[in-house]
Amino acid sequence: MEGGAAASTPAALPYYVAFSQLLGLTLVAMTGAWLGLYRGGIAWESDLQFNAHPLCMVIGLVFLQGDALLVYRVFRNEAKRTTKVLHGLLHIFALVIALVGLVAVFDYHRKKGYADLYSLHSWCGILVFVLYFVQVRELSSQACVGAKLGLAAKGAQLPGAPWLTQRVWPQAQLSESWLVGFSFFLFPGAPFSLRSRYRPQHIFFGATIFLLSVGTALLGLKEALLFNLGDKYSAFQPEGVLANVLGLLLACFGGAVLYILTRADWKRPSQAEEQALSMDFKTLTEGDSPGSQ
Amino acid sequence: MEGGAAASTPAALPYYVAFSQLLGLTLVAMTGAWLGLYRGGIAWESDLQFNAHPLCMVIGLVFLQGDALLVYRVFRNEAKRTTKVLHGLLHIFALVIALVGLVAVFDYHRKKGYADLYSLHSWCGILVFVLYFVQVRELSSQACVGAKLGLAAKGAQLPGAPWLTQRVWPQAQLSESWLVGFSFFLFPGAPFSLRSRYRPQHIFFGATIFLLSVGTALLGLKEALLFNLGDKYSAFQPEGVLANVLGLLLACFGGAVLYILTRADWKRPSQAEEQALSMDFKTLTEGDSPGSQ
């Protein structure tokens, strides 16, 4: 399905996206190079387990999360649902990789007998995870309300189908986990007014969580440098210089993603979006299967 | 002068602004409390000179810079020029206080024989100052083009006045410093099309510099904690906990300012703005004194 009239891609957008991807891949490669050259590489069952933490976080919470935000700008002429699935998948990949990174550091601390969650870096990191889950939870609750309204509308129009709202819906509400809610959101039953009220908040909190992730990565990098280099940091050691450049690249990637995301004339055209959403809702309220699109 | 029809203030905006100010004042007070309670206070001619650095940066580059960004949202019904002067003044105050903070740390390093500019915090800090100056420089160059166009338009309509564009303008161009340019920007000669093209870039880079300032403050806080607390940091010392809370407040203040700044329905109404700008340009091209408004 093509979502309404195909909009032309702004001329400069591909160059900015390419630049952001170049920055993102460079910073992933540079994190790998830093860990390989100066920290002995990565392994799960040794002291090198810690090194899985920065690599997973840079790949998951910075690069993949940033790319998840850009999906609606890059695939502006694809069907809304395809783009939404890609956005969700990238966030799931980001979250899974970040969770591996989280397990790596807690497991390493446990083996070494180090204290957990005492530093500003760790507090910010926990805040990122809490906000990430709140965002998905909020998304799921909005989606559930939308699905309920959609199902109710469908039930009202289909005599004999109220069992759908009376039996299926309460069950969904009882087992309302974020995964259930998330899958509900992919089921396009939410009315347009609900979605359009919620969308700006979702975009703002998405961007905020991403920027806080970048800030947390910078704090972690700084912590790793001060713990390991100590006084040698001020002697402009190669590792310190490499890590500082990595820090600036992290900040630049954050800035590039934010620029692409906030440029008003690069937003996915609302016309195509509205048409697609109206069609989704119309399909439901008129009694067709959502899968028939 | 009232800029066109007075627009009503959105109901929730004052509460969000009040909350941001409460956050901002709390973080300034908490920075003072941290330096007073755990770092011996502030003095210029002793080892305590360093402590002027974090306090000045939090007041200047975080609190005042954040407030400078909010001016157009808060004073939405005031004359455009009044708001612009307040925006400029807050940025000047912010910059002057930040420069005092910069001198404090360089002077302290010189007296102690410490190396300068080796850390990620310092690199990010220098980037903030460079971007701050580039932003003002860019503003001045846009304003100069605008003023030139305004003066040229005025000269073309006033026979005998071409000396204005031929003599006064080249001199202004020769001595084109950011201060000259800045004062030119306050002189509302820039055509509306030029301003409206440039405004989104100015807002984006303003927000980016502010967020980078918050990130740099977090890095500085972390550096100060790791240098002074060392291993005691992981023992949940009161100073460490206080500084972590301060760090979270810094991040929250950044988030609150960004939220108020980016909420689409809280933007200063473009209608009043356009009317005021059109009037400015009309006044110039029709030959009246800009001061007569």
Side-chain angles (χ1 to χ4, degrees), chain B residues 21 143 155 158 170 190 198-199 239 272:
Chain B
Q21 295 312 292
L158 292 174
Y198 177 59
R199 194 185 302 117
E239 181 182 353

Side-chain angles (χ1 to χ4, degrees), chain B residues 34-68:
Chain B
W34 168 52
L35 296 169
L37 284 171
Y38 299 106
R39 300 292 168 115
I42 293 172
W44 195 259
E45 291 298 339
S46 73
D47 279 4
L48 300 176
Q49 186 181 19
F50 174 83
N51 292 349
H53 175 71
L55 188 65
C56 285
M57 292 314 188
V58 166
I59 295 175
L61 285 184
V62 178
F63 184 54
L64 288 180
Q65 192 187 178
D67 276 7

Side-chain angles (χ1 to χ4, degrees), chain A residues 95-283:
Chain A
L95 197 58
V96 168
I97 295 175
L99 285 172
V100 173
L102 204 64
V103 170
V105 73
F106 276 102
D107 204 34
Y108 173 79
H109 276 198
R110 188 183 53 78
K111 286 173 189 166
K112 287 277 185 181
Y114 293 162
D116 287 319
L117 301 176
Y118 63 87
S119 75
L120 181 56
H121 164 71
S122 62
W123 287 28
C124 288
I126 292 301
L127 185 61
V128 165
F129 276 93
V130 168
L131 291 176
Y132 219 113
F133 278 94
V134 167
Q135 169 92 327
V136 177
R137 186 65 186 67
E138 183 63 18
L139 192 74
S140 79
S141 112
Q142 295 280 342
C144 283
V145 173
K148 190 175 182 180
L149 289 172
L151 288 173
K154 191 169 180 172
Q157 285 208 339
L158 290 175
W163 63 269
L164 198 65
T165 46
Q166 284 160 17
R167 295 192 191 171
V168 178
W169 177 252
Q171 277 178 19
Q173 228 173 7
L174 280 175
S175 65
E176 188 194 350
S177 71
W178 71 267
L179 270 173
V180 170
F182 192 68
S183 61
F184 261 111
F185 193 74
L186 292 175
F187 173 77
F192 178 66
S193 63
L194 187 78
R195 283 165 185 265
S196 60
R197 257 209 317 276
Y198 178 59
R199 194 184 303 118
Q201 310 286 335
H202 178 73
I203 294 171
F204 173 79
F205 282 103
T208 301
I209 295 167
F210 168 68
L211 290 175
L212 189 60
S213 303
V214 171
T216 307
L218 289 175
L219 285 174
L221 188 63
K222 180 95 192 185
E223 192 170 280
L225 287 176
L226 288 177
F227 274 147
N228 288 46
L229 284 177
D231 289 342
K232 286 190 288 180
Y233 192 19
S234 62
F236 291 91
Q237 292 274 315
E239 181 184 351
V241 175
L242 179 86
N244 284 359
V245 173
L246 175 57
L248 288 186
L249 281 180
L250 275 164
C252 289
F253 180 70
V257 169
L258 196 67
Y259 184 79
I260 296 169
L261 199 67
T262 54
R263 217 173 123 161
D265 52 339
W266 288 356
K267 286 197 165 39
R268 190 182 162 96
S270 62
Q271 199 190 354
E273 204 168 276
E274 282 171 19
Q275 281 177 6
L277 284 167
S278 307
M279 277 176 69
D280 284 344
F281 189 50
K282 206 174 152 204
T283 309

Side-chain angles (χ1 to χ4, degrees), chain A residues 15-73:
Chain A
Y15 297 102
Y16 278 80
V17 171
F19 176 68
S20 74
Q21 296 311 292
L22 191 68
L23 269 178
L25 291 171
T26 307
L27 70 88
V28 169
M30 202 180 258
T31 307
W34 167 52
L35 297 169
L37 284 171
Y38 299 107
R39 301 288 169 117
I42 293 172
W44 196 259
E45 292 298 339
S46 73
D47 279 4
L48 299 176
Q49 187 181 18
F50 175 83
N51 293 349
H53 176 70
L55 189 64
C56 286
M57 293 311 188
V58 166
I59 294 175
L61 285 184
V62 178
F63 183 54
L64 288 180
Q65 193 187 178
D67 276 7
L69 305 189
L70 295 185
V71 154
Y72 291 101
R73 302 292 173 278

Side-chain angles (χ1 to χ4, degrees), chain B residues 141-164:
Chain B
S141 114
Q142 296 279 344
C144 282
V145 173
K148 191 174 182 179
L149 288 172
L151 288 173
K154 191 168 181 172
Q157 286 207 340
L158 292 174
W163 63 271
L164 198 68

